[in-house]
Amino acid sequence: MPPGRIKILKAERVLYLMKGKQKIQSFPIGLGFNPTDDKIKLGDGCTPEGRFYICETLKFRPASAVYGPVSFRISYPNVEDARRALRAKLITRKQYLSIVKGIDKGVMPNQRTPLGGSIKIHGGDY
């Protein structure tokens, strides 16, 4: 059986924990101020679309009033985001290669580009 995964339906504002094709649990979610579009660059208020992995777990003690006790940073930008941005001349070739290198290694991709970063799944008061 493949490992568990997270599936997010932006229009329904719900996050599902999945095991194979089975929904194990669901949670309501909040999104940025532009929730329908795919994230393109820093500050656009969009939620990324695509396949990502959790590349960092952050624990807060005491629990953050805003984000809860734990947050999970996802691997945004992914290779597709970087490729699109390179074609649109939003990032340099060096930035593109640094993102791809991080993804290839399964670590956090470069978070300091015009694409933005530090996208997290976290708790909070919605």
Side-chain angles (χ1 to χ4, degrees), residues 66-68 70-71 121-126:
V66 176
Y67 301 118
V70 179
S71 70
I121 298 170
H122 58 79
D125 186 15
Y126 300 99

Side-chain angles (χ1 to χ4, degrees), residues 28-122:
I29 61 169
L31 301 169
F33 60 80
N34 185 4
T36 57
D37 295 332
D38 189 9
K39 184 156 194 65
I40 303 291
K41 62 182 179 177
L42 178 67
D44 63 11
C46 298
T47 299
E49 297 176 1
R51 292 186 179 267
F52 304 94
Y53 53 87
I54 294 172
C55 57
E56 184 178 35
T57 300
L58 302 163
K59 295 183 180 182
F60 304 99
R61 287 190 179 85
S64 165
V66 176
Y67 301 118
V70 179
S71 70
F72 304 98
R73 190 182 323 259
I74 65 168
S75 59
Y76 173 84
N78 64 23
V79 173
E80 293 80 20
D81 298 315
R83 190 175 297 126
R84 179 181 59 216
L86 182 63
R87 281 194 306 263
K89 299 185 183 337
L90 293 174
I91 61 173
T92 66
R93 180 135 180 92
K94 182 177 179 181
Q95 290 169 323
Y96 168 81
L97 292 172
S98 71
I99 291 167
V100 170
K101 183 178 179 182
I103 297 295
D104 285 348
K105 289 184 172 186
V107 299
M108 188 182 324
N110 186 348
Q111 302 285 287
R112 297 183 179 269
T113 74
L115 304 183
S118 198
I119 305 296
K120 299 179 189 113
I121 298 170
H122 58 79

